[in-house]
Amino acid sequence: MANRPTGVDEAIKFIWNQPETILQSSEKQRLSAALAKETDVVAKRYFFAPLPEQWVGTLKELLAPTARLAEALLGEGPPSKKTKTGVADLDREEIAALINKKLPTASSYSKTTVGGWADSKYKTIRPCMNFHRQHTLQDQRTTPVALLDPILAQVAEDCEVAAPTEGDCNFTARVASAMSESFTKEGERMDKFWELLEHEYSVKFQRIEFGDAKTDGSLTHPKGGLVVNIEVKNEVGSGGGAIHVQNAAYAAKYAAGQAVVLRQVSTCPTLLIELAGPNMSLSGAVFSNVVVCDQLTPMVSLLWQPHSPLMLQAARCFAALRMALPRLLAYYDSVQSQALRQQLDFPYPTSFIASDGGGQAHLQYVQRLSGLCFKGVIQPHGQSVFIKFCRSYSFAAHQAMAAAGYAPALLGFEQLAQGWLLIVQQFVDAVSWDEIVDKPVESLKAAVHALHAAGFVHGDLRGCNILVAAGAVSLIDFEWAGIVGKATYPYFMNHVDIQWPDGASDGRLVTESHDLWWLSKLI
């Protein structure tokens, strides 16, 4: 202890004197252990953020004799020789600190008027929270929630396809009957919704305070996880804010402000329920490299309409909720007691079934290449691989081209929840067609001919989807590929930045002539 900077022992005593209601023993241990080692504090200052505001003055006074340590713990910016210019330069703890410092109350942030989420004064924190109302066509979005947490992904799938039980249907009928009523106050609707959920699912909601604001209902886990958060508006359009933004902001504030220890080992998955009059939606929030929140369902009617298929949608949502609650609670039961994946800013799948019959192979992510494409390695032998996530893929076309020598080897794939696919292929050290000067035209012609001869079309033969190595061509990105006469283009094609061949449009057939049009442009 004699070698510690002046004031550290006093600061540690101050921390341990705090009641368990403010700080749990596990958090005290981690804080005091890092405090005892000055270099650790300086290197990881945002590990402590956010500290309770009432501590700041006391800790600054105790640590005043050691100005460097006090600044590292309580100052305005992380000590670094490198100037950090954007969110991509910040680690998760720095992101948490920025959210905790800059994000106002959820109700204020959700306003659609001046001073709300779209206001320029929030430009520094908007990139830290990738959620509702902030996506544009130009955004390079982070990984969606469905690829960051398997439980929330399953919620989205169950809301689309689950077969509700008799109990789910009976509960849906009770909710519809209650929510179809008129409530004079938002609190009355909230109380009734709580009563229904607590009785059906044997849970207990509470209102969590964030400064001057309170949630409309939160289910927390003893280990610190926010399992469910509810946002209520008495009717659609009432309440003065965007309901999805407000609920997502509560999840962000909780993950950044109260899950200090938990977020070291978890993405802090939270199921969000938005209730606006007799209408409900489900969303999911996680803390990956930034806080990500996606709507998992549309707004579903809770009106009593026994002859309408809309009630089946509602019943599926409640079936999904019934199945998700024990899964989330079990997750938080084990999150700190078992070995978990530590790559929290990458998608959750870390294994796949090898296509060569070699059984299950384990993945480690190395870096994001673009969009939902990553470089990784297969453990333990370290083979470099290309990892891609998409919703459609022609394995047959890819395998046919790989067998002919015109595509990287397809090593395996996994079917994930909500229709997502994990594709793992050989990593090729190559450049794209657009980047190379001496283009192997004959090799490209042969590749396209082989594709069509095998009975397939590609649909997206732009230069970025053609790799060149050692004078040979490899076709990649078989998302739109398929059998001639059956493969179709996806919906929401990019018709703004890309010129497509005549007839290439949303939902229409991909033809051989379209591939040949691209070939003529490339050569």
Side-chain angles (χ1 to χ4, degrees), residues 166-211:
E166 179 182 345
D168 295 324
C169 293
N170 290 337
F171 179 59
T172 302
R174 292 197 300 274
V175 174
S177 177
M179 291 298 105
S180 295
E181 296 292 332
S182 175
F183 293 87
T184 57
K185 296 180 180 180
E186 180 181 290
E188 295 173 357
R189 184 178 292 277
M190 178 188 74
D191 290 343
K192 186 61 179 179
F193 195 56
W194 277 31
E195 176 188 326
L196 290 162
L197 294 181
E198 289 180 340
H199 182 268
E200 181 70 12
Y201 300 124
S202 300
V203 294
K204 190 69 176 177
F205 291 97
Q206 60 179 314
R207 300 192 73 181
I208 299 177
E209 294 188 12
F210 291 94

Side-chain angles (χ1 to χ4, degrees), residues 4 46 55 60 74 80 118 189 192 201 207 263 267 360 370 397 399 413 426 466 471 490 499:
R4 288 182 187 165
Y46 276 115
W55 289 20
K60 277 187 175 179
L74 302 163
S80 174
R189 184 178 292 277
K192 186 61 179 179
Y201 300 124
R207 300 192 73 181
R263 66 171 176 263
T267 56
Q360 189 176 61
S370 64
Q399 289 172 327
F413 65 92
Q426 171 192 7
I466 300 167
Q499 179 187 1

Side-chain angles (χ1 to χ4, degrees), residues 131-259:
F131 53 65
H132 312 293
R133 307 295 294 275
Q134 296 175 190
H135 306 154
T136 69
L137 291 175
Q138 288 73 39
D139 281 344
Q140 183 63 45
R141 288 206 51 202
T142 53
T143 307
V145 165
L147 293 177
L148 291 169
D149 184 80
I151 300 175
L152 297 177
Q154 192 61 52
V155 169
E157 180 171 302
D158 289 339
C159 287
E160 294 177 357
V161 301
T165 65
E166 179 182 345
D168 295 324
C169 293
N170 290 337
F171 179 59
T172 302
R174 292 197 300 274
V175 174
S177 177
M179 291 298 105
S180 295
E181 296 292 332
S182 175
F183 293 87
T184 57
K185 296 180 180 180
E186 180 181 290
E188 295 173 357
R189 184 178 292 277
M190 178 188 74
D191 290 343
K192 186 61 179 179
F193 195 56
W194 277 31
E195 176 188 326
L196 290 162
L197 294 181
E198 289 180 340
H199 182 268
E200 181 70 12
Y201 300 124
S202 300
V203 294
K204 190 69 176 177
F205 291 97
Q206 60 179 314
R207 300 192 73 181
I208 299 177
E209 294 188 12
F210 291 94
D212 297 331
K214 291 183 180 180
T215 65
D216 288 339
S218 305
L219 174 62
T220 59
H221 189 277
K223 291 187 177 180
L226 180 60
V227 180
V228 176
N229 201 71
I230 303 171
E231 180 58 34
V232 179
K233 304 293 182 186
N234 198 24
E235 294 291 344
V236 173
S238 68
I243 188 171
H244 294 95
V245 173
Q246 189 167 345
N247 212 8
Y250 276 125
K253 289 183 76 70
Y254 190 94
Q258 298 193 28

Side-chain angles (χ1 to χ4, degrees), residues 422-444:
L422 161 65
I423 313 297
V424 182
Q425 65 184 47
Q426 171 192 7
F427 187 86
V428 179
D429 187 9
V431 296
S432 74
W433 182 270
D434 295 334
E435 297 174 293
I436 196 166
V437 176
D438 187 13
K439 302 182 187 298
V441 172
E442 294 306 316
S443 179
L444 178 58

Side-chain angles (χ1 to χ4, degrees), residues 127-412:
C128 300
M129 303 180 298
N130 196 320
F131 53 65
H132 312 293
R133 307 295 294 275
Q134 296 175 190
H135 306 154
T136 69
L137 291 175
Q138 288 73 39
D139 281 344
Q140 183 63 45
R141 288 206 51 202
T142 53
T143 307
V145 165
L147 293 177
L148 291 169
D149 184 80
I151 300 175
L152 297 177
Q154 192 61 52
V155 169
E157 180 171 302
D158 289 339
C159 287
E160 294 177 357
V161 301
T165 65
E166 179 182 345
D168 295 324
C169 293
N170 290 337
F171 179 59
T172 302
R174 292 197 300 274
V175 174
S177 177
M179 291 298 105
S180 295
E181 296 292 332
S182 175
F183 293 87
T184 57
K185 296 180 180 180
E186 180 181 290
E188 295 173 357
R189 184 178 292 277
M190 178 188 74
D191 290 343
K192 186 61 179 179
F193 195 56
W194 277 31
E195 176 188 326
L196 290 162
L197 294 181
E198 289 180 340
H199 182 268
E200 181 70 12
Y201 300 124
S202 300
V203 294
K204 190 69 176 177
F205 291 97
Q206 60 179 314
R207 300 192 73 181
I208 299 177
E209 294 188 12
F210 291 94
D212 297 331
K214 291 183 180 180
T215 65
D216 288 339
S218 305
L219 174 62
T220 59
H221 189 277
K223 291 187 177 180
L226 180 60
V227 180
V228 176
N229 201 71
I230 303 171
E231 180 58 34
V232 179
K233 304 293 182 186
N234 198 24
E235 294 291 344
V236 173
S238 68
I243 188 171
H244 294 95
V245 173
Q246 189 167 345
N247 212 8
Y250 276 125
K253 289 183 76 70
Y254 190 94
Q258 298 193 28
V260 178
V261 174
L262 183 64
R263 66 171 176 263
Q264 308 303 316
V265 293
S266 170
T267 56
C268 307
T270 301
L271 180 59
L272 305 177
I273 304 175
E274 296 89 21
L275 180 71
N279 303 278
M280 181 186 74
S281 64
L282 302 181
S283 300
V286 296
F287 191 169
S288 177
N289 57 326
V290 297
V291 176
V292 185
C293 183
D294 290 333
Q295 196 169 335
L296 304 179
T297 73
M299 269 290 184
V300 174
S301 174
L302 296 181
L303 290 171
W304 173 246
Q305 304 174 95
H307 303 296
S308 171
L310 294 177
M311 285 200 71
L312 177 58
Q313 287 185 319
R316 283 178 172 149
C317 289
F318 286 118
L321 185 58
R322 168 178 55 79
M323 292 184 282
L325 286 174
R327 292 169 185 162
L328 283 168
L329 290 168
Y331 167 80
Y332 281 114
D333 278 338
S334 62
V335 69
Q336 290 177 327
S337 62
Q338 64 181 22
L340 297 175
R341 64 185 184 92
Q342 294 300 307
Q343 295 188 285
L344 301 175
D345 50 352
F346 288 102
Y348 73 83
T350 55
S351 64
F352 67 99
I353 302 300
S355 58
D356 62 1
Q360 189 176 61
H362 298 279
L363 290 172
Q364 179 179 352
Y365 295 90
V366 174
Q367 67 181 106
R368 181 191 296 271
L369 299 174
S370 64
L372 296 178
C373 298
F374 304 84
K375 182 179 181 180
V377 294
I378 297 177
Q379 297 292 17
H381 51 76
Q383 177 187 355
S384 293
V385 292
F386 177 84
I387 304 166
K388 181 183 180 71
F389 294 91
C390 55
R391 290 183 178 274
S392 65
Y393 203 81
S394 178
F395 302 105
H398 188 152
Q399 289 172 327
M401 289 299 94
Y406 293 117
L410 181 61
L411 303 179

